[in-house]
Amino acid sequence: MEIGQLTSATQAPGSQDVTKPPLRHLSAQDRAVQEALRRRAGRKSFLSALSVVDWAFAFLLAGGAGFALYRYSGHMNYYDKLVLDCAVPTFAILGWRWKSLRLLMVLIATLSIGSTLLYQGHLERAETTFFLKYLLSSQSAILWMSALLLLATGFYWLGVLGRSKTGAAIGTMLTWSAVLMGFVGLMVRWYESYLVGADVGHIPISNLYEVFVLFCLITSLFYLYYEQHYNTRALGAFVLLVISAAVCFLMWYSVSRDAQQIQPLVPALQSWWMKIHVPANFIGYGSFALSAMVSVAYLLKERGVLADRLPAIEVLDDVMYKSIAVGFAFFTIATILGALWAAQAWGGYWSWDPKETWALIVWLNYAAWLHMRLMKGLRGSAAAWWALTGLLVTTFAFLGVNMFLSGLHSYGKL
């Protein structure tokens, strides 16, 4: 049967929706054709639905990337330019799909550029300029991020325990503000590293202090997406707990080790691979941590604790699954990128270094979880307990290896 005939044949008399005919009486082949038509129509409707503001946002991203290439191309190699070029369509699509993220990116760029202009090329202005000292220097912005995340945790719990929609809404606003300040802090820290010295400058994802900031931001962003997608704020009380724990560690680490100071990169980290390996890794870590905290809510809901204040079991199960699936995909990419980086830096793709070994354990753990889910229908308490246990495995791979073991990755030691 031709596609045109199939469309007319399956349209019910008087039907006003030609693109969505009933599929139950069609053969498997005809249903496949109809699904292909619907997907094609969906793609067209998405592009046609883009507004002038959407396209203006995309052109703004392209213009910013073009300016960066014009101004700083002498400091970039081929791979840096490739990453920048690929970032434009990636962030454009993200901004189209998630409008809140678009506004966030514009605000991050505005505040970061404003901060760099206030420095006027002199790092010491961070101590003499009011807005830098109390708001926009990297340390100030990251401190604001930390304080806002702790406050957001309290308001989310107020929303859950006190049934306060206002409290939960304030928690959401505080979390968005924290993400804004955290990313501004990282962008400004990147600029500050070049003010310390041209040979010191590097992307701020090279030590435990910087990656803990990145972990807080990525986990918060993923949570905010699920909050909007499922239209529930009840999970914020749980997810923000693990983020607050990371904030507390960050504060302790800063005070006890003076970790916020910008240091030159060790030779092994002086590579463009770091710019893609580390973010991919922490998208995985953040997603795994989020799934573990959702599993806590699942187990409480199942036992009748706060049951009337938490989302439905099906929603919790879906968030847990999607978080692990996304985390696993990015963690797999990060592991492959890490192997390629290792071959360049150390002459071999795999050396059974403790960090590599525990990364493999994390990967196998979530690969097994997804296999049992997709092939054996894993659900319920078993899946939730497994996801929660996975947080312990991931935490040791992320932090425990640095504390207790030594190897090729010992530059990240506490």
Side-chain angles (χ1 to χ4, degrees):
M1 183 180 290
E2 295 295 331
I3 290 178
Q5 295 173 334
L6 177 62
T7 303
S8 61
T10 55
Q11 182 178 357
S15 172
Q16 296 180 351
D17 190 355
V18 178
T19 63
K20 294 187 177 181
L23 300 180
R24 59 181 176 275
H25 300 305
L26 301 181
S27 67
Q29 182 179 2
D30 290 344
R31 284 198 297 270
V33 173
Q34 282 291 352
E35 289 297 334
L37 286 172
R38 289 180 182 181
R39 286 194 295 271
R40 186 183 303 172
R43 286 195 294 270
K44 290 181 179 178
S45 63
F46 170 69
L47 290 176
S48 62
L50 293 177
S51 66
V52 174
V53 176
D54 293 325
W55 287 112
F57 171 71
F59 284 118
L60 184 64
L61 284 175
F67 174 77
L69 287 172
Y70 169 77
R71 183 75 179 269
Y72 302 109
S73 59
H75 302 281
M76 298 180 181
N77 58 31
Y78 169 80
Y79 299 104
D80 293 329
K81 295 175 183 177
L82 179 63
V83 170
L84 181 61
D85 290 339
C86 292
V88 173
T90 300
F91 285 117
I93 294 171
L94 285 173
W96 290 344
R97 290 287 187 179
W98 189 12
K99 306 300 185 185
S100 301
L101 191 63
R102 180 174 66 191
L103 176 61
L104 176 68
M105 285 188 275
V106 171
L107 290 175
I108 290 171
T110 302
L111 291 177
S112 300
I113 293 172
S115 177
T116 59
L117 293 176
L118 288 174
Y119 273 102
Q120 298 180 2
H122 301 285
L123 187 61
E124 59 271 14
R125 286 181 61 84
E127 296 298 325
T128 59
T129 305
F130 178 85
F131 284 107
L132 290 177
K133 184 174 183 178
Y134 296 106
L135 189 65
L136 293 177
S137 70
S138 64
Q139 293 184 32
S140 297
I142 290 171
L143 282 174
W144 275 108
M145 177 207 75
S146 303
L148 290 168
L149 285 173
L150 292 174
L151 283 173
T153 306
F155 276 100
Y156 273 123
W157 275 106
L158 176 63
V160 170
L161 299 178
R163 301 178 186 272
S164 171
K165 292 184 179 180
T166 301
I170 293 173
T172 298
M173 290 188 292
L174 290 172
T175 305
W176 275 112
S177 300
V179 170
L180 171 62
M181 295 308 295
F183 274 113
V184 169
L186 286 183
M187 294 299 102
V188 175
R189 185 178 176 87
W190 196 347
Y191 175 75
E192 290 173 348
S193 68
Y194 282 92
L195 293 182
V196 173
D199 57 336
V200 176
H202 60 271
I203 187 172
I205 49 174
S206 63
N207 56 41
L208 276 178
Y209 175 84
E210 293 166 351
V211 297
F212 258 90
V213 175
L214 185 65
F215 171 81
C216 293
L217 296 174
I218 288 175
T219 311
S220 298
L221 265 183
F222 269 107
Y223 164 71
L224 289 168
Y225 172 77
Y226 289 123
E227 178 184 278
Q228 287 191 3
H229 183 73
Y230 290 95
N231 194 28
T232 177
R233 292 190 171 103
L235 294 178
F238 296 90
V239 177
L240 267 289
L241 282 178
V242 73
I243 298 174
S244 293
V247 166
C248 291
F249 176 86
L250 184 67
M251 294 300 98
W252 168 82
Y253 193 48
S254 300
V255 172
S256 65
R257 306 298 173 88
D258 205 24
Q260 73 277 8
Q261 299 301 323
I262 297 173
Q263 301 293 336
L265 287 177
V266 298
L269 295 180
Q270 294 175 4
S271 170
W272 72 274
W273 287 101
M274 182 177 70
K275 299 172 185 177
I276 53 178
H277 167 70
V278 175
N281 223 10
F282 279 87
I283 291 175
Y285 283 144
S287 295
F288 295 152
L290 189 150
S291 70
M293 301 313 295
V294 171
S295 73
V296 173
Y298 185 101
L299 293 169
L300 291 176
K301 173 88 173 184
E302 198 175 46
R303 286 156 178 75
V305 180
L306 301 174
D308 59 332
R309 309 178 199 188
L310 293 173
I313 282 288
E314 293 77 15
V315 171
L316 296 172
D317 180 76
D318 195 45
V319 175
M320 184 166 42
Y321 162 65
K322 287 179 178 176
S323 298
I324 289 178
V326 170
F328 180 76
F330 277 94
F331 198 77
T332 300
I333 294 171
T335 302
I336 295 171
L337 293 173
L340 295 173
W341 186 5
Q344 183 187 74
W346 300 319
Y349 292 99
W350 198 267
S351 58
W352 295 105
D353 173 76
K355 197 76 169 180
E356 295 172 348
T357 303
W358 275 94
L360 178 61
I361 293 171
V362 171
W363 187 89
L364 290 172
N365 174 69
Y366 288 107
W369 192 98
L370 288 170
H371 172 78
M372 293 299 291
R373 166 92 181 196
L374 298 174
M375 299 294 108
K376 304 296 182 180
L378 179 70
R379 298 290 193 282
S381 297
W385 278 113
W386 192 342
L388 183 56
T389 304
L391 179 61
L392 301 178
V393 178
T394 305
T395 301
F396 189 83
F398 174 20
L399 187 59
V401 171
N402 300 75
M403 296 175 64
F404 304 115
L405 303 176
S406 60
L408 293 172
H409 291 79
S410 58
Y411 48 77
K413 213 169 173 58
L414 281 173

